Amino acid sequence: MELKDNTVYDCSVIDVSKIHNEAGNITVVENGENIPFDVKRIYYLYDIPGGEVRGGHAHYELEQFIIAASGSFDVVLDDGKNKKRVSLNRPNLALHIVPGLWRELDNFSSGSISMVLASHTYDESDYIRDYKNFLDCKK
Ligand code: TYD
């Protein structure tokens, strides 16, 4: 399978809706409205021990929205040539990650929750988990 030649500059932080209310806010992500792909799967990381690093892989096809549903963390994007560190710390901000990029998540605050909206169901064959293999595929 071909790894897409996207770069870190194809990823952006999108300010999704926030419905403000004195009793608290609501953020809505809706297929066909404010997300550039249809969501097939949602998962979230939580109870992450201090200092832990997650991710450490690339995807052939999968697109994702990553949201700090609670607390904060960083996402380090890597296209084999450029790296970009993105800090997420608000539930109305979503990092859109296009396919073909290496990513790592670190700097998790205590109690943080990383919510991921994904364009496909889980498929291990969509992953590259070896960094050297990733670099070879990006050449
Ligand atoms: P992994 O992709 O290694 O986590 P991360 O990249 O966030 O550090 O996934 C951890 C485990 O969970 C691994 O055994 C695969 C499994 N998993 C599923 O079964 N379904 C899923 O949708 C995801 C994201 C992971």
Side-chain angles (χ1 to χ4, degrees), residues 21-50:
N21 188 307
E22 278 174 18
N25 300 324
I26 299 179
T27 283
V28 181
V29 180
E30 188 169 335
N31 287 346
E33 293 292 335
N34 57 352
I35 180 164
F37 56 85
D38 277 357
V39 178
K40 291 243 181 63
R41 176 172 51 117
I42 298 169
Y43 62 91
Y44 31 99
L45 310 176
Y46 55 99
D47 291 347
I48 302 150

Side-chain angles (χ1 to χ4, degrees), residues 41 43 45 53-57 122 124 127 129:
R41 176 172 51 117
Y43 62 91
L45 310 176
V53 178
R54 300 292 304 244
H57 60 255
Y122 176 69
E124 189 59 35
Y127 283 73
R129 292 190 182 272

